[in-house]
């Protein structure tokens, strides 16, 4: 009898080019996404060594991190030059390198441009059972479709470009099981934050996660993308969802997805990509869906999670002395005091965007709360940055842009934006932002910026009240139904 | 890549836990398109604090960094490894590392040494100096040991392949390219089994 295998083990086994005596494997890479920040030095390395890109057809380049989210072309279609010379230089490097090495580039003015992790699934480039890499840690996102996807560094980018392979050691496996039904107002983002809060940012180190249980089965593909995106915040390079009918329906007809008989053949194989009965995970973490509430972060690590109805924790309440010190440092940085109610924390900025929460369902969710409402007087700046040009177009066709604009938000061009503040979209020092992104690290959204990670619904709620707010209060006040 | 066999010298007694790569090198340094010159940005935020170890003349140019648990977590930016390399660091010692960081470090010829917390605590003491001035630490990759002049001797594990590459200063891409045939073989099988793997051509 064949040994029962987990989903991860099946994908791994299908990609072993060669197994070395020490257990290291040369793993074939089916998909490579390239963006402008982590690729210039890799292409530079190829050029210096006189090497080529082995499989340009399996490689796709998209700029996202540096692009301004203000218009990029003037009325005549001429590029509006990027003020920051270094951003312009990275963009120019990608625009030079992609054609030189025969790699397809979705450029800054293309409708399909967006954050790589939004573009991959949207274009049908991301497929179940493939190995997918990108020089960006949130590559874990693509696991939502059942791709073994993980972030790599620039040397590995160069290695994949040159050889279409990576030398890897097999990871341990962790099942993250959430069964039950999520309560109203509780979103996939809250599930992701709950996982980070439960296992900690190092909890998944060395593991590939598989998301199991009814909550994940019931979740939409976009919700799964949000959860898989944050696998890395819980320490796991990859997080997998077994592909199912929802996945196949999502992929079918996308521009780069298999067509016709090829699609049917692919689906037949994808259906085998489930963890076998009796397969053993190295670790299992169980969370009850009923225990998950709308969450916010209070500190400077994604594991610093608390219910929005809760209070800022007392650093002394942590068992580990180093965590106590870290918590105190976080509170000082965040300008919060122990015991303060999260729902009393006033905010000045709202950012709806990033590869965690910038897809159409996220925008619909936020817009449903903002409809007929306005941002509070204390909000200095609120903005929506759609994940791609196609998301933006879809939202506009549904009239969501009007809802955001009428509510006092800015409606921007797609890109990473204030998620990491490489472009001009930054949160000023000492000011506080309710953000739908994935990292609340010190200085992440700009030097001295203070970030509270929340769901799109909670970001909208915070914009309306000017403070961190339990979205359920607004749901109850609503005459209509807000789904 | 330079060969790494033994590393001898002072060590930055850093020890901070959960240092993410934003702390090692803030995002605005990611705008470079070259690998060199990032040492200036290493630990930029911490270096604004007076008395930080990175600007302590006693430690200038130290080839070893002693860090805390979960060093290099967060963003996968390889700039973190480049920045440490540009600072002159050849070895980082910590109780644990993020997977991505230790991979990046290795690819840039930096050795990451995992030792238990009590050993790391002891090395922090030595790095600070048993008698006031910083004492050197000796790392020997061949024998997989970290030693001090005070009879401390800690052994560490390392993946044999990584060890081989570091000792020989071998370029990983060149090594893999030498195996072109095996990769050709895999691609031929894949073209049969999963022909749909090539993305549909886009007009
Ligand atoms: S949106 Fe943020 S997390 Fe996502 S790829 Fe861009 S910078 Fe990284």
């Amino acid at each position: 009898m064949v040994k029962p295998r987990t989903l991860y083990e099946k994908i791994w086994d299908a990609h072993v080019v060669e197994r070395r005596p020490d257990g290291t494997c040369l793993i074939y890479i089916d998909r490579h996404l390239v963006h402008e920040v982590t690729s210039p030095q890799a292409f530079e390395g190829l050029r210096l060594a006189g090497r080529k890109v082995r499989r340009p057809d399996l490689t796709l380049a998209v700029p996202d991190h540096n692009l301004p989210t203000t218009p990029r072309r003037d009325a005549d279609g001429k590029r509006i030059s990027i003020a920051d010379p270094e951003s312009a230089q990275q963009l120019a490097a990608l625009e030079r390198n992609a054609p030189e090495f025969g790699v397809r580039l979705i450029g800054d003015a293309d409708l399909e441009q967006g954050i790589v992790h939004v573009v991959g699934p949207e274009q049908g480039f991301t497929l179940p059972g493939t190995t997918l890499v990108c020089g960006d840690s949130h590559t874990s996102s693509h696991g939502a479709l059942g791709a073994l996807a993980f972030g790599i560094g620039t040397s590995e980018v160069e290695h994949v470009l040159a050889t279409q392979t990576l030398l890897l050691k097999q990871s341990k496996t962790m099942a993250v099981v959430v069964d039950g039904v999520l309560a109203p107002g509780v979103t996939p983002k809250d599930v992701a934050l709950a996982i980070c809060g439960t296992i900690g940012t190092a909890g998944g180190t060395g593991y590939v996660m598989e998301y199991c249980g009814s909550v994940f089965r019931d979740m939409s593909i976009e919700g799964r993308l949000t959860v898989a995106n944050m696998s890395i915040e819980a320490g796991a390079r990859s997080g997998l969802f077994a592909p199912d009918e929802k996945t196949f329906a999502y992929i079918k007809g996308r521009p780069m997805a298999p067509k016709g008989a090829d699609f049917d053949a692919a689906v037949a194989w994808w259906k085998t990509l489930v963890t076998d009965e009796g397969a053993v995970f190295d670790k299992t973490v169980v969370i009850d869906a009923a225990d998950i509430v709308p969450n916010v972060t209070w500190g400077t690590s994604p594991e610093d999670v608390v219910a929005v109805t809760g209070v800022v924790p007392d650093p002394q309440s942590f068992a580990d002395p180093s965590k106590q010190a870290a918590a105190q440092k976080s509170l000082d940085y965040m300008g919060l005091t122990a015991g303060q109610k999260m729902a009393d924390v006033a905010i000045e900025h709202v950012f709806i965007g990033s590869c965690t929460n910038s897809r159409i369902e996220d925008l619909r969710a936020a817009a449903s709360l903002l409809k007929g409402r306005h941002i509070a007087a204390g909000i200095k700046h609120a903005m929506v940055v759609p994940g791609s040009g196609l998301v933006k177009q879809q939202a506009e066709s549904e009239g969501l842009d009007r809802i955001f604009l009428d509510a006092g938000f800015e409606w921007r061009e797609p890109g990473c934006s204030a998620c990491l503040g490489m472009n001009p979209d930054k949160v000023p020092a000492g000011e506080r932002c309710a953000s739908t992104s994935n990292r609340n690290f010190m200085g992440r959204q700009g030097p001295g910026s203070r970030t509270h990670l929340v769901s799109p619904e909670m970001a909208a709620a915070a914009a309306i009240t000017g403070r961190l707010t339990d979205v359920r209060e607004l749901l109850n006040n609503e005459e209509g139904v807000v789904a | 890549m330079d060969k790494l066999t033994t590393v001898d010298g002072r060590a930055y007694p850093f020890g901070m836990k959960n240092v993410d790569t934003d702390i090692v090198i803030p995002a605005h340094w990611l705008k470079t398109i070259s690998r060199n010159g990032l040492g200036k940005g290493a630990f930029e935020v911490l270096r604004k604090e007076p008395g930080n170890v990175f600007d302590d003349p006693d430690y200038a140019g130290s080839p070893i960094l002693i860090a805390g648990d979960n060093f290099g977590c967060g963003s996968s930016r390889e700039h973190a490894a480049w920045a440490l390399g540009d600072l002159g660091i050849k070895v980082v010692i910590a109780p644990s590392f993020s997977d991505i960081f230790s991979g990046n470090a290795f690819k840039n010829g930096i050795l990451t040494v995992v030792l238990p917390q009590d050993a790391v605590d002891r090395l922090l003491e030595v790095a600070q100096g048993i008698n006031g001035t910083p004492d050197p630490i000796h790392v020997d990759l061949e024998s997989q040991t970290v030693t001090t002049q005070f009879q401390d001797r800690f052994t560490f594990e390392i993946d044999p392949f990584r060890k081989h590459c570091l000792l020989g200063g071998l370029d990983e891409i060149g090594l893999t390219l030498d195996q072109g045939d095996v990769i050709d073989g895999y691609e031929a099988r894949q073209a049969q089994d999963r022909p749909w793997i090539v993305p549909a051509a886009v007009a």
Side-chain angles (χ1 to χ4, degrees), chain A residues 64-65 115-117 136 138 229 354-355 416 419-420 438 444:
Chain A
D64 54 6
H65 284 63
I115 305 169
V116 272
H117 310 312
D136 184 280
H138 292 95
N229 175 272
S354 90
C355 55
C416 293
C419 173
L420 90 167
N438 46 42
R444 172 80 176 181

Side-chain angles (χ1 to χ4, degrees), chain A residues 135-153:
Chain A
D136 184 280
S137 53
H138 292 95
T139 306
S140 62
S141 309
H142 307 261
L145 297 171
L148 177 59
F150 48 90
I152 55 177

Side-chain angles (χ1 to χ4, degrees), chain A residues 14 18 20 28 30-31 41 51 54 57 87 90 137 153-156 158-159 169 206 256 322 422 439, chain B residues 17 30-32 34-35 74-76 78 99 107 159 171 173 176 179 184 186-187 190 197 199-200:
Chain A
E18 192 192 51
R20 306 244 160 109
Y28 197 79
D30 298 325
R31 292 283 184 270
Q41 289 91 346
R51 290 169 177 155
R54 183 179 176 96
D57 56 336
S87 289
Q90 285 198 338
S137 53
T154 298
S155 292
E156 289 170 306
E158 187 179 337
H159 195 278
K169 273 244 160 76
M256 300 174 91
S322 70
M422 275 188 90
R439 286 190 169 151
Chain B
K17 297 191 183 193
L30 271 57
K31 296 192 164 183
T32 160
S34 172
R35 301 180 186 220
S75 142
S76 61
E78 191 163 342
D99 294 349
K107 288 177 174 59
D159 172 272
D171 162 14
I173 295 177
T176 306
Q179 291 188 283
D184 290 344
Y186 181 91
E187 285 180 336
Q190 186 191 54
I197 207 74

Side-chain angles (χ1 to χ4, degrees), chain B:
Chain B
M1 215 157 75
D2 293 343
K3 292 182 185 183
L4 189 148
T5 48
T6 58
V7 176
D8 236 324
R10 291 186 174 180
Y12 293 101
F14 180 45
M16 193 167 145
K17 297 191 183 193
N18 294 314
V19 169
D20 58 58
T21 51
D22 281 67
I23 297 180
V24 180
I25 184 94
H28 68 97
W29 286 91
L30 271 57
K31 296 192 164 183
T32 160
I33 59 167
S34 172
R35 301 180 186 220
N36 299 319
L38 289 165
K40 289 196 295 291
F43 301 106
E44 187 175 61
V45 176
L46 298 176
R47 284 163 89 166
K48 293 196 174 119
E49 292 171 14
N52 75 82
V53 290
F54 298 105
D55 290 322
D56 183 336
D58 272 354
Y59 294 104
S62 295
I64 302 170
L65 173 69
I66 304 180
D69 219 11
N70 198 24
F71 184 80
C73 58
S75 142
S76 61
R77 64 187 65 157
E78 191 163 342
H79 306 66
W82 297 332
L84 295 184
D86 202 50
L87 262 192
I89 290 170
K90 300 201 160 21
V91 181
V92 187
I93 302 174
S96 72
F97 293 91
S98 94
D99 294 349
I100 295 181
F101 175 80
S102 57
N104 286 339
F106 157 67
K107 288 177 174 59
N108 288 282
I110 296 173
L111 170 65
T112 52
V113 171
V114 177
L115 289 177
Q117 184 70 54
D118 51 353
V120 171
D121 289 342
R122 168 66 187 164
L123 292 172
L124 281 170
E125 269 172 41
V126 174
Q128 274 158 351
I130 302 295
N131 301 311
T133 49
D135 292 304
I137 286 173
H138 180 76
V139 180
D140 185 333
L141 179 55
E142 185 55 62
S143 65
Q144 298 177 214
T145 54
V146 179
T147 51
T148 72
Q149 57 188 322
F150 308 105
Q151 318 305 316
D152 301 288
R153 185 172 190 281
F154 306 108
T155 55
F156 59 89
E157 295 294 316
I158 180 170
D159 172 272
F161 176 72
R162 285 191 178 179
K163 179 174 175 178
H164 171 73
C165 290
L166 286 170
L167 285 173
L170 300 175
D171 162 14
E172 222 185 358
I173 295 177
L175 286 172
T176 306
L177 283 175
D178 287 345
Q179 291 188 283
D181 310 351
V182 221
I183 305 174
D184 290 344
Y186 181 91
E187 285 180 336
R189 287 198 303 283
Q190 186 191 54
Q192 288 239 291
D193 299 348
R194 291 181 286 143
W196 45 265
I197 207 74
V198 177
V202 180

Side-chain angles (χ1 to χ4, degrees), chain A residues 14-181:
Chain A
H15 289 86
V16 175
V17 175
E18 192 192 51
R19 199 178 301 273
R20 306 244 160 109
D22 68 350
T24 311
C25 289
L26 192 63
I27 291 292
Y28 197 79
I29 301 301
D30 298 325
R31 292 283 184 270
H32 189 185
L33 285 161
V34 174
H35 64 84
E36 81 279 22
V37 180
T38 51
S39 69
Q41 289 91 346
F43 284 115
E44 177 190 40
L46 291 185
R47 203 177 285 120
L48 289 173
R51 290 169 177 155
K52 296 187 309 205
V53 173
R54 183 179 176 96
R55 294 292 300 266
D57 56 336
L58 303 182
T59 312
L60 179 64
V62 193
D64 54 6
H65 284 63
N66 281 291
L67 294 182
T69 55
T70 45
R72 295 154 190 169
R73 293 290 189 276
D74 65 16
D76 303 328
K78 256 188 62 207
R79 170 170 278 161
I80 300 173
S81 64
I82 297 180
D84 180 281
E86 289 168 316
S87 289
Q89 172 180 275
Q90 285 198 338
L91 183 63
L94 190 65
E95 288 173 345
R96 186 174 65 242
N97 289 327
E100 179 181 333
F101 288 91
V103 170
R104 179 170 173 224
L105 172 76
I106 296 182
D108 67 328
D110 291 329
L111 182 60
E112 295 83 4
Q113 182 272 331
I115 305 169
V116 272
H117 310 312
V118 175
V119 171
E122 193 172 74
Q123 290 300 313
F125 186 72
T126 308
L127 297 177
T130 55
T131 45
L132 183 153
V133 298
C134 174
D136 184 280
S137 53
H138 292 95
T139 306
S140 62
S141 309
H142 307 261
L145 297 171
L148 177 59
F150 48 90
I152 55 177
T154 298
S155 292
E156 289 170 306
V157 170
E158 187 179 337
H159 195 278
V160 175
L161 288 172
T163 71
Q164 206 59 33
T165 64
L166 278 177
L167 270 171
L168 296 169
K169 273 244 160 76
Q170 200 165 346
S171 302
K172 290 178 285 184
T173 53
M174 179 190 289
V176 179
V177 185
V178 186
D179 274 313
V181 177

